[in-house]
Amino acid sequence: MVEVVGDYVGTRGISPETMEFFDVKTSEEGKQYYTYPSGGVKVRTLHNKTFHAANGLKTDELFGMNLFPKGCSKMITITEGELDALSVFDMMKKGDYVNAVVSLPSATPSSKLWENVREYLDGFEKIILSVDNDKPGDAVADKVCNMFPRKTYRVCLLYT
């Protein structure tokens, strides 16, 4: 069992308040802890961008979906990484209104994930995909577009 220690530290332009809302802690040793809905934790070592699972992390749920009940907003944004979800959340906040933002547990999610989140995602009018422009990102986009053909939109991410 990994003890989640640290503070809610803003990073990469993400506010400490957003880190707290998503319960993402950063330790003095340079690790970030992303707590998933069922209590499992994804641990990221910042200096070399490695990840490992702890506390029974399940890869069949979306990071943040416990914070946004089905249908709580008209649209939901799905990102490929937890920090991406936090960045989008910070950008999209408008006063008291917040759009739902969640993250995939990995760039190559399991079929079990899609089974578990189908009903949840169907509770939103629009599904915005903010995934990388690579094979895994394309596979995610294809999967979600096939599941929800009339309400899925993809944000094109360009890198320079």
Side-chain angles (χ1 to χ4, degrees):
M1 194 72 141
V2 169
E3 183 181 0
V4 177
V5 295
D7 295 313
Y8 301 114
V9 178
T11 184
R12 291 176 37 180
I14 301 166
S15 71
E17 294 80 18
T18 293
M19 300 296 269
E20 184 173 6
F21 179 76
F22 280 89
D23 194 23
V24 174
K25 292 184 178 178
T26 305
S27 72
E28 289 182 15
E29 295 79 32
K31 294 184 179 189
Q32 278 186 331
Y33 301 90
Y34 309 101
T35 303
Y36 272 69
S38 63
V41 177
K42 186 175 185 182
V43 182
R44 177 183 183 169
T45 304
L46 296 174
H47 73 277
N48 63 3
K49 196 180 176 183
T50 59
F51 299 90
H52 71 272
N55 302 355
L57 177 67
K58 294 181 179 182
T59 58
D60 60 357
E61 58 190 357
L62 298 167
F63 172 73
M65 68 186 281
N66 56 314
L67 304 173
F68 304 101
K70 180 173 91 172
C72 68
S73 64
K74 289 186 179 189
M75 70 177 179
I76 185 168
T77 301
I78 303 172
T79 68
E80 212 169 309
E82 294 85 4
L83 285 179
D84 295 336
L86 277 65
S87 294
V88 169
F89 179 82
D90 254 1
M91 287 187 293
M92 302 284 288
K93 279 192 298 192
K94 300 271 195 266
D96 290 337
Y97 181 76
V98 210
N99 285 307
V101 183
V102 296
S103 173
L104 298 168
S106 76
T108 54
S110 69
S111 58
K112 184 72 174 164
L113 170 93
W114 299 120
E115 290 172 31
N116 288 350
V117 301
R118 177 184 287 274
E119 183 182 331
Y120 173 75
L121 292 175
D122 200 32
F124 297 89
E125 291 178 27
K126 292 182 181 180
I127 300 169
I128 311 300
L129 296 176
S130 180
V131 293
D132 291 343
N133 190 19
D134 57 10
K135 283 187 179 188
D138 291 343
V140 167
D142 289 345
K143 180 69 174 178
V144 177
C145 285
N146 287 330
M147 288 172 66
F148 307 102
R150 290 177 180 75
K151 60 179 177 179
T152 302
Y153 304 85
R154 184 176 183 183
V155 175
C156 185
L157 302 175
L158 301 174
Y159 301 100
T160 57

